[in-house]
Amino acid sequence: MKSLVIGNKTARIPVIQGGMGVGVSLSGLAGAVAASGGVGVISAAQIGFEEPDFYTNCHEANLRALKKHIKKAKEQAKDGLVGVNIMVATKEYAAQVHAACEAGADLIISGAGLPAELPELVKGYEEQTKIAPIVSSVKSARVILKLWDRHHHRTADMVVIEGPKAGGHLGFSRDQLDTITTEEYDREIQEIIAVVKEYGEKYGCTIPVVAAGGIFDRQDILHALELGADGVQMATRFVVTEECDASLAFKQAYLDADASSIEIIKSPVGMPGRAVHNTFLEKVARGQVPVKRCLSCLSACNPAKAPYCITQALIAAVQGDTENGLIFCGSNASRLKQLTTVPELMKELTEELPTA
């Protein structure tokens, strides 16, 4: 496999560990992946949940924790690349982008909305911090690249294509998730790559494209590369590593999941996602999870009408209360059978497959 080149930065292995919040991918996991040759990614989503003042000063706690985890991961990564996933849908978006730049993040990956102002927010840090929008369709790719071209006179450093088999905050309707085929989305990926190439040619650069969503093993990686992608982003496989920042109970919930226990759910702001069925989701279905305290996480969330607090649900799960929390996962979580380590997983993903 070729290295993944993002502007003036290079990852030896073309594998990006997807950002998973709340608290699933922090400095422990991201630093380990970066040290192993991939790109480790910290999720900025409510990252300050372990800070002592989180419930009284959520904004400052999140910014403090974000900087702390980036610096810690970079120390562990040595010369590896450490990125941050920052959702456009969050109320702290601009502040978190600034904090990530100040802390020395190598890459900002941004989705769950249109990152229209991201180029402006990273001004002055372009050499250090690369930016990558998440797109799910040819239309969304054209919209964001055209917008950045017209309003900011620049293009993306990388583009992440997140398909329908990914975990949380998906850019698809429920009907699309139920009906779109692998073959159909393979064609979509190739068309998106063609769009990205147009803008690379305009700006005289190569914009790497990374495929995400349902990437599970080396064969999936090779398939993505054959379609024309330069690398892959995968998240679910990294949850059941020793280095993952989630509790052991959270990891065990992945190992215990079967195909029938993974369901499509709707976040409080209406975006679909995948999660492991549990008592919490049964309560949500009955309308029994009122929001007791708003932590100002998602811009479009109205706590008076929200079916549940996504922050509280995700914190409960990652800390080990897997029956009363929300366990986001990718479509292949049921294929996981045992715990491993990041180095062992990276070796498995990059080793030559045995011949028949």
Side-chain angles (χ1 to χ4, degrees):
M1 295 182 187
K2 293 181 179 179
S3 298
L4 177 62
V5 180
I6 312 168
N8 60 356
K9 297 177 181 289
T10 301
R12 179 169 52 85
I13 298 172
V15 173
I16 296 175
Q17 160 255 310
M20 296 171 281
V22 171
V24 181
S25 63
L26 300 175
S27 52
L29 178 56
V33 174
S36 295
V39 181
V41 178
I42 294 165
S43 169
Q46 298 292 62
I47 192 171
F49 73 103
E50 293 180 313
E51 296 291 303
D53 58 343
F54 177 69
Y55 289 100
T56 56
N57 193 5
C58 185
H59 177 72
E60 291 301 322
N62 281 333
L63 297 183
R64 185 189 320 121
L66 179 57
K67 290 182 177 181
K68 178 173 69 177
H69 279 288
I70 292 171
K71 291 176 180 177
K72 189 175 179 180
K74 286 183 71 67
E75 289 171 3
Q76 183 181 347
K78 299 167 186 172
D79 295 326
L81 302 185
V82 174
V84 183
N85 182 294
I86 306 177
M87 297 189 298
V88 179
T90 61
K91 291 184 177 181
E92 301 178 333
Y93 183 69
Q96 288 185 338
V97 170
H98 288 146
C101 290
E102 291 167 6
D106 295 297
L107 174 68
I108 292 175
I109 298 173
S110 196
L114 194 69
E117 300 306 316
L118 185 55
E120 181 66 27
L121 296 173
V122 300
K123 270 194 173 178
Y125 292 95
E126 291 90 344
E127 287 297 305
Q128 169 201 282
T129 305
K130 305 306 175 184
I131 56 175
I134 297 175
V135 302
S136 295
S137 65
V138 173
K139 180 181 178 180
S140 60
R142 285 196 183 280
V143 167
I144 191 61
L145 294 177
K146 185 176 182 179
L147 191 153
W148 284 7
D149 176 35
R150 285 189 172 183
H151 294 277
H152 303 287
H153 311 295
R154 66 160 293 178
T155 193
D157 296 305
M158 184 181 82
V159 172
V160 176
I161 304 174
E162 189 168 80
K165 295 181 180 180
H169 298 108
L170 302 173
F172 300 87
S173 67
R174 175 61 189 262
D175 182 62
Q176 287 174 317
L177 293 176
D178 290 336
T179 60
I180 194 166
T181 67
T182 299
E183 292 73 23
E184 287 173 330
Y185 203 70
D186 280 354
R187 289 193 293 272
E188 190 83 12
I189 289 172
Q190 291 177 315
E191 291 176 19
I192 294 172
I193 290 171
V195 170
V196 174
K197 188 176 181 181
E198 291 174 18
Y199 283 87
E201 290 173 350
K202 178 172 182 176
Y203 281 88
C205 64
T206 299
I207 307 171
V209 176
V210 170
I215 308 294
F216 190 84
D217 54 24
R218 180 181 166 84
Q219 289 177 313
D220 293 332
I221 296 173
L222 294 178
H223 178 68
L225 298 180
E226 287 168 2
L227 290 175
D230 300 283
V232 298
Q233 176 178 283
M234 54 197 303
T236 295
R237 288 296 305 271
F238 287 101
V239 170
V240 293
T241 60
E242 291 179 8
E243 296 87 348
C244 175
D245 298 277
S247 66
L248 184 59
F250 186 93
K251 300 172 189 181
Q252 190 62 47
Y254 270 53
L255 295 176
D256 292 341
D258 56 37
S260 64
S261 64
I262 298 173
E263 61 184 83
I264 304 295
I265 61 104
K266 185 182 290 187
S267 83
V269 293
M271 300 181 82
R274 278 187 179 81
V276 178
H277 182 83
N278 61 1
T279 302
F280 174 77
L281 291 182
E282 293 175 1
K283 289 180 178 179
V284 170
R286 296 193 296 265
Q288 295 178 335
V289 193
V291 178
K292 298 178 181 178
R293 167 172 45 189
C294 180
L295 292 164
S296 300
C297 56
L298 300 174
S299 299
C301 183
N302 180 350
K305 297 182 179 180
Y308 60 92
C309 173
I310 194 166
T311 289
Q312 288 297 135
L314 292 171
I315 290 174
V318 79
Q319 291 184 328
D321 188 358
T322 54
E323 278 304 315
N324 295 295
L326 178 61
I327 309 168
F328 273 135
C329 68
S331 61
N332 286 316
S334 61
R335 294 172 62 184
L336 298 168
K337 303 302 178 187
Q338 61 186 22
L339 284 171
T340 185
T341 67
V342 166
E344 288 170 351
L345 176 56
M346 296 296 273
K347 182 180 180 182
E348 176 195 326
L349 296 174
T350 56
E351 278 187 339
E352 292 293 335
L353 293 171
T355 55

Coordinates of all heavy atoms in Angstrom, one line a residue, residues 84-150:
V84 N -8.2 15.8 14.3 CA -9.3 16.0 15.1 C -10.6 16.0 14.3 O -10.6 16.6 13.2 CB -9.3 17.4 15.9 CG1 -10.4 17.5 16.8 CG2 -8.0 17.5 16.6
N85 N -11.6 15.3 14.7 CA -12.9 15.4 14.1 C -13.8 16.4 14.8 O -14.0 16.2 16.0 CB -13.6 14.0 14.1 CG -14.9 14.0 13.3 OD1 -15.9 14.6 13.8 ND2 -15.0 13.3 12.2
I86 N -14.2 17.4 14.1 CA -15.0 18.5 14.7 C -16.3 18.6 13.9 O -16.3 18.9 12.7 CB -14.3 19.8 14.7 CG1 -12.9 19.7 15.4 CG2 -15.1 20.9 15.5 CD1 -12.1 21.0 15.4
M87 N -17.4 18.4 14.6 CA -18.7 18.4 13.9 C -19.2 19.9 13.7 O -19.2 20.7 14.7 CB -19.8 17.7 14.7 CG -19.5 16.2 14.8 SD -20.9 15.3 15.5 CE -21.0 16.0 17.2
V88 N -19.6 20.2 12.5 CA -20.2 21.5 12.2 C -21.4 21.8 13.1 O -21.7 22.9 13.4 CB -20.5 21.6 10.7 CG1 -21.1 23.0 10.4 CG2 -19.3 21.4 9.8
A89 N -22.1 20.8 13.4 CA -23.4 20.9 14.1 C -23.2 21.4 15.6 O -24.2 21.7 16.2 CB -24.1 19.6 14.1
T90 N -22.0 21.4 16.1 CA -21.8 21.8 17.5 C -21.8 23.3 17.6 O -21.4 24.0 16.8 CB -20.4 21.2 18.0 OG1 -19.4 21.8 17.2 CG2 -20.4 19.7 17.9
K91 N -22.2 23.7 18.8 CA -22.3 25.2 19.1 C -20.9 25.8 19.2 O -20.7 27.0 19.1 CB -23.1 25.4 20.4 CG -24.6 25.2 20.2 CD -25.3 25.5 21.5 CE -26.8 25.3 21.3 NZ -27.6 25.7 22.5
E92 N -19.9 24.9 19.6 CA -18.5 25.4 19.8 C -17.6 25.3 18.6 O -16.4 25.3 18.7 CB -17.9 24.6 21.0 CG -18.7 24.7 22.3 CD -18.1 23.9 23.4 OE1 -17.4 22.9 23.1 OE2 -18.2 24.2 24.6
Y93 N -18.2 25.1 17.4 CA -17.4 24.7 16.2 C -16.2 25.6 16.0 O -15.1 25.2 15.9 CB -18.3 24.7 15.0 CG -17.6 24.3 13.7 CD1 -17.2 23.0 13.6 CD2 -17.3 25.2 12.7 CE1 -16.5 22.6 12.4 CE2 -16.7 24.8 11.6 CZ -16.3 23.5 11.4 OH -15.6 23.1 10.3
A94 N -16.4 26.9 15.9 CA -15.3 27.9 15.6 C -14.2 27.8 16.7 O -13.0 27.8 16.4 CB -15.8 29.3 15.4
A95 N -14.7 27.8 17.9 CA -13.7 27.8 19.0 C -12.9 26.5 19.1 O -11.7 26.6 19.4 CB -14.5 28.0 20.4
Q96 N -13.5 25.4 18.7 CA -12.8 24.2 18.7 C -11.8 24.1 17.6 O -10.7 23.5 17.7 CB -13.8 23.0 18.7 CG -14.6 22.8 20.0 CD -15.5 21.6 19.9 OE1 -15.8 21.1 18.9 NE2 -15.8 21.1 21.1
V97 N -12.2 24.6 16.4 CA -11.2 24.7 15.3 C -10.0 25.5 15.7 O -8.8 25.1 15.5 CB -11.9 25.2 14.0 CG1 -10.8 25.5 12.9 CG2 -12.9 24.3 13.5
H98 N -10.2 26.7 16.3 CA -9.1 27.5 16.7 C -8.2 26.8 17.7 O -7.0 26.8 17.7 CB -9.6 28.8 17.3 CG -10.2 29.8 16.3 ND1 -11.3 30.6 16.6 CD2 -9.9 30.0 15.0 CE1 -11.6 31.3 15.5 NE2 -10.7 31.0 14.5
A99 N -8.9 26.1 18.7 CA -8.1 25.4 19.7 C -7.3 24.3 19.1 O -6.1 24.1 19.5 CB -9.1 24.9 20.8
A100 N -7.9 23.6 18.2 CA -7.1 22.5 17.5 C -5.9 23.0 16.8 O -4.8 22.4 16.8 CB -8.1 21.7 16.6
C101 N -6.1 24.1 16.1 CA -4.9 24.7 15.4 C -3.8 25.1 16.4 O -2.7 24.9 16.2 CB -5.4 25.9 14.6 SG -6.4 25.5 13.1
E102 N -4.3 25.8 17.4 CA -3.3 26.3 18.5 C -2.5 25.1 19.1 O -1.4 25.3 19.5 CB -4.1 27.1 19.5 CG -4.6 28.4 19.0 CD -5.6 29.1 20.0 OE1 -5.8 28.5 21.1 OE2 -6.2 30.1 19.6
A103 N -3.2 24.0 19.2 CA -2.6 22.8 19.9 C -1.7 22.0 18.9 O -1.0 21.1 19.4 CB -3.6 21.9 20.5
G104 N -1.7 22.4 17.6 CA -0.8 21.7 16.7 C -1.4 20.5 16.0 O -0.7 19.7 15.5
A105 N -2.7 20.4 15.8 CA -3.3 19.3 15.1 C -2.8 19.3 13.7 O -2.7 20.4 13.0 CB -4.9 19.5 15.1
D106 N -2.6 18.1 13.2 CA -2.1 18.0 11.8 C -3.3 18.1 10.8 O -3.0 18.4 9.6 CB -1.4 16.6 11.6 CG -0.1 16.6 12.4 OD1 0.8 17.4 12.1 OD2 0.0 15.7 13.3
L107 N -4.5 17.7 11.2 CA -5.6 17.6 10.3 C -6.9 17.9 11.1 O -7.0 17.4 12.2 CB -5.6 16.2 9.7 CG -6.7 15.7 8.9 CD1 -6.7 16.5 7.5 CD2 -6.7 14.2 8.6
I108 N -7.8 18.6 10.4 CA -9.2 18.7 10.9 C -10.1 18.1 9.9 O -10.1 18.5 8.7 CB -9.5 20.2 11.2 CG1 -8.7 20.7 12.3 CG2 -11.0 20.3 11.5 CD1 -8.9 22.2 12.6
I109 N -10.9 17.1 10.4 CA -11.9 16.5 9.5 C -13.2 17.0 10.0 O -13.5 16.9 11.2 CB -11.8 14.9 9.7 CG1 -10.4 14.4 9.1 CG2 -12.9 14.3 8.9 CD1 -10.2 13.0 9.4
S110 N -14.1 17.4 9.1 CA -15.3 18.1 9.5 C -16.5 17.7 8.7 O -16.5 17.8 7.5 CB -15.1 19.6 9.4 OG -16.0 20.3 10.2
G111 N -17.5 17.2 9.5 CA -18.8 16.9 8.8 C -20.0 17.2 9.7 O -19.9 18.1 10.6
A112 N -21.1 16.4 9.6 CA -22.3 16.7 10.4 C -22.7 18.1 10.2 O -23.0 18.8 11.1 CB -22.1 16.4 11.9
G113 N -22.8 18.4 8.9 CA -23.1 19.8 8.5 C -22.1 20.2 7.4 O -21.2 19.5 7.0
L114 N -22.3 21.4 6.9 CA -21.5 22.0 5.8 C -20.4 22.9 6.4 O -20.7 23.9 6.9 CB -22.3 22.7 4.8 CG -21.7 23.1 3.5 CD1 -21.5 21.8 2.6 CD2 -22.6 24.1 2.7
P115 N -19.1 22.4 6.3 CA -18.0 23.3 6.9 C -17.7 24.5 6.1 O -16.5 24.6 5.6 CB -16.9 22.3 7.1 CG -17.1 21.3 5.9 CD -18.6 21.2 5.8
A116 N -18.6 25.3 5.9 CA -18.5 26.4 4.9 C -17.3 27.4 5.3 O -16.6 27.9 4.4 CB -19.8 27.2 4.8
E117 N -17.2 27.7 6.6 CA -16.2 28.7 7.0 C -14.9 28.1 7.5 O -14.0 28.8 8.1 CB -16.8 29.5 8.2 CG -18.1 30.3 7.8 CD -17.8 31.1 6.5 OE1 -16.8 31.8 6.5 OE2 -18.7 31.1 5.6
L118 N -14.7 26.8 7.4 CA -13.5 26.1 7.9 C -12.2 26.7 7.3 O -11.2 27.0 8.1 CB -13.5 24.6 7.6 CG -12.4 23.8 8.1 CD1 -12.2 24.0 9.6 CD2 -12.6 22.3 7.8
P119 N -12.1 27.0 6.0 CA -10.9 27.7 5.5 C -10.5 29.0 6.2 O -9.4 29.3 6.5 CB -11.2 27.9 4.0 CG -12.2 26.8 3.7 CD -13.1 26.8 4.9
E120 N -11.6 29.8 6.5 CA -11.3 31.0 7.2 C -10.8 30.8 8.6 O -10.0 31.5 9.1 CB -12.6 31.9 7.2 CG -12.5 33.2 7.9 CD -11.6 34.2 7.1 OE1 -11.5 34.1 5.9 OE2 -11.0 35.1 7.8
L121 N -11.4 29.8 9.3 CA -11.1 29.5 10.7 C -9.6 29.0 10.9 O -9.1 29.1 11.9 CB -12.0 28.5 11.2 CG -13.5 28.9 11.3 CD1 -14.4 27.8 11.8 CD2 -13.6 30.1 12.3
V122 N -9.0 28.4 9.8 CA -7.7 27.9 9.9 C -6.6 28.8 9.3 O -5.5 28.5 9.2 CB -7.5 26.5 9.3 CG1 -8.5 25.5 10.0 CG2 -7.8 26.5 7.8
K123 N -7.0 30.0 9.0 CA -6.1 31.0 8.4 C -4.9 31.2 9.3 O -5.1 31.4 10.5 CB -6.8 32.3 8.0 CG -7.4 32.4 6.6 CD -7.8 33.8 6.2 CE -8.2 33.8 4.8 NZ -8.6 35.1 4.4
G124 N -3.7 31.2 8.7 CA -2.5 31.3 9.4 C -1.9 30.0 9.9 O -0.7 29.9 10.3
Y125 N -2.7 28.9 9.8 CA -2.2 27.6 10.2 C -2.2 26.6 9.0 O -2.1 25.4 9.2 CB -3.1 27.0 11.3 CG -3.0 27.8 12.6 CD1 -3.9 28.8 12.9 CD2 -2.1 27.5 13.5 CE1 -3.9 29.5 14.1 CE2 -2.0 28.1 14.7 CZ -2.9 29.1 15.0 OH -2.8 29.8 16.2
E126 N -2.3 27.1 7.8 CA -2.5 26.2 6.6 C -1.3 25.2 6.4 O -1.5 24.1 6.0 CB -2.6 27.1 5.3 CG -3.9 27.9 5.2 CD -3.8 29.3 5.8 OE1 -2.8 29.5 6.6 OE2 -4.7 30.1 5.5
E127 N -0.1 25.6 6.8 CA 1.0 24.7 6.6 C 1.0 23.6 7.7 O 1.4 22.5 7.4 CB 2.4 25.5 6.7 CG 2.7 26.3 5.5 CD 2.9 25.5 4.3 OE1 3.7 24.6 4.3 OE2 2.2 25.8 3.3
Q128 N 0.5 23.9 8.8 CA 0.5 23.0 9.9 C -0.8 22.1 10.0 O -0.7 20.9 10.2 CB 0.6 23.8 11.2 CG 0.3 22.9 12.5 CD 0.0 23.8 13.7 OE1 0.8 24.4 14.3 NE2 -1.3 23.8 14.0
T129 N -1.9 22.8 9.8 CA -3.2 22.1 10.0 C -4.0 22.0 8.7 O -4.4 23.0 8.1 CB -4.1 22.8 11.0 OG1 -3.3 22.9 12.2 CG2 -5.3 22.0 11.3
K130 N -4.1 20.7 8.2 CA -4.8 20.5 6.9 C -6.3 20.3 7.2 O -6.7 20.0 8.3 CB -4.2 19.2 6.2 CG -2.7 19.3 6.0 CD -2.3 20.5 5.2 CE -0.8 20.7 5.0 NZ -0.5 21.9 4.4
I131 N -7.1 20.6 6.2 CA -8.6 20.5 6.4 C -9.2 19.5 5.4 O -8.8 19.5 4.2 CB -9.2 21.9 6.3 CG1 -8.9 22.6 5.0 CG2 -8.8 22.7 7.5 CD1 -9.7 23.9 4.8
A132 N -10.2 18.8 5.9 CA -10.8 17.8 5.1 C -12.3 17.7 5.4 O -12.7 17.4 6.5 CB -10.2 16.4 5.3
P133 N -13.2 18.1 4.4 CA -14.6 18.0 4.6 C -15.1 16.5 4.4 O -14.4 15.7 3.7 CB -15.2 18.8 3.5 CG -14.2 18.7 2.4 CD -12.9 18.6 3.1
I134 N -16.1 16.2 5.1 CA -16.8 14.9 5.0 C -17.9 15.0 4.0 O -18.8 15.9 4.2 CB -17.2 14.3 6.3 CG1 -16.1 14.0 7.2 CG2 -18.0 13.0 6.1 CD1 -16.5 13.6 8.6
V135 N -18.0 14.3 2.9 CA -19.1 14.3 2.0 C -19.7 12.9 1.8 O -19.0 11.9 2.1 CB -18.6 14.8 0.6 CG1 -18.0 16.2 0.8 CG2 -17.6 13.9 -0.1
S136 N -20.9 12.8 1.4 CA -21.6 11.5 1.2 C -22.1 11.4 -0.2 O -22.6 10.3 -0.5 CB -22.7 11.4 2.2 OG -22.2 11.3 3.6
S137 N -22.1 12.4 -1.0 CA -22.6 12.4 -2.3 C -21.9 13.3 -3.3 O -21.1 14.2 -2.8 CB -24.1 12.8 -2.3 OG -24.2 14.2 -2.0
V138 N -22.1 13.1 -4.6 CA -21.5 13.9 -5.6 C -21.9 15.4 -5.3 O -21.2 16.3 -5.4 CB -21.8 13.5 -7.0 CG1 -21.3 14.5 -8.0 CG2 -21.2 12.1 -7.3
K139 N -23.2 15.5 -5.0 CA -23.8 16.8 -4.8 C -23.1 17.6 -3.7 O -22.7 18.7 -3.8 CB -25.3 16.7 -4.5 CG -26.0 18.1 -4.3 CD -27.5 17.9 -4.0 CE -28.1 19.2 -3.7 NZ -29.6 19.1 -3.4
S140 N -23.0 16.9 -2.5 CA -22.3 17.5 -1.4 C -20.9 17.9 -1.7 O -20.4 18.9 -1.2 CB -22.5 16.7 -0.1 OG -21.8 15.4 -0.3
A141 N -20.2 17.0 -2.4 CA -18.8 17.3 -2.8 C -18.7 18.5 -3.6 O -17.8 19.4 -3.4 CB -18.2 16.1 -3.5
R142 N -19.6 18.6 -4.6 CA -19.6 19.8 -5.5 C -19.9 21.1 -4.7 O -19.2 22.1 -4.9 CB -20.6 19.6 -6.6 CG -20.1 18.7 -7.7 CD -21.0 18.9 -9.0 NE -20.6 17.9 -10.0 CZ -19.6 18.0 -10.8 NH1 -18.8 19.1 -10.7 NH2 -19.3 17.1 -11.8
V143 N -20.9 21.0 -3.8 CA -21.3 22.2 -3.1 C -20.1 22.7 -2.2 O -19.8 23.9 -2.3 CB -22.5 21.9 -2.2 CG1 -22.7 23.0 -1.2 CG2 -23.7 21.7 -3.1
I144 N -19.5 21.9 -1.4 CA -18.5 22.4 -0.5 C -17.2 22.8 -1.3 O -16.6 23.9 -1.0 CB -18.1 21.4 0.6 CG1 -17.3 22.0 1.7 CG2 -17.5 20.1 0.0 CD1 -17.9 23.1 2.4
L145 N -16.8 22.1 -2.3 CA -15.6 22.5 -3.0 C -15.8 23.8 -3.8 O -14.9 24.6 -3.9 CB -15.1 21.3 -3.9 CG -14.6 20.1 -3.2 CD1 -14.3 19.0 -4.2 CD2 -13.4 20.4 -2.3
K146 N -17.0 23.9 -4.4 CA -17.3 25.1 -5.1 C -17.4 26.3 -4.2 O -16.9 27.4 -4.5 CB -18.7 24.9 -5.8 CG -19.1 26.1 -6.7 CD -20.4 25.8 -7.5 CE -20.7 26.9 -8.4 NZ -22.0 26.6 -9.2
L147 N -18.0 26.1 -3.0 CA -18.1 27.2 -2.0 C -16.7 27.6 -1.6 O -16.4 28.8 -1.5 CB -18.9 26.7 -0.9 CG -19.4 27.7 0.2 CD1 -20.7 27.2 0.8 CD2 -18.3 27.9 1.3
W148 N -15.8 26.7 -1.2 CA -14.5 27.0 -0.8 C -13.7 27.7 -1.9 O -12.9 28.7 -1.7 CB -13.7 25.8 -0.3 CG -14.1 25.3 1.0 CD1 -15.2 25.8 1.8 CD2 -13.5 24.2 1.8 NE1 -15.3 25.0 2.9 CE2 -14.3 24.1 3.0 CE3 -12.5 23.4 1.5 CZ2 -13.9 23.2 3.9 CZ3 -12.1 22.4 2.5 CH2 -12.9 22.3 3.7
D149 N -13.9 27.3 -3.1 CA -13.2 27.9 -4.3 C -13.7 29.3 -4.5 O -12.9 30.3 -4.6 CB -13.6 27.1 -5.5 CG -13.0 27.7 -6.8 OD1 -11.9 28.2 -6.8 OD2 -13.6 27.5 -7.9
R150 N -15.0 29.6 -4.4 CA -15.5 30.9 -4.7 C -15.3 31.9 -3.6 O -14.9 33.1 -3.8 CB -17.0 30.8 -5.0 CG -17.4 30.3 -6.3 CD -18.9 30.5 -6.6 NE -19.2 30.1 -8.0 CZ -20.4 30.2 -8.5 NH1 -21.4 30.7 -7.7 NH2 -20.6 29.9 -9.8

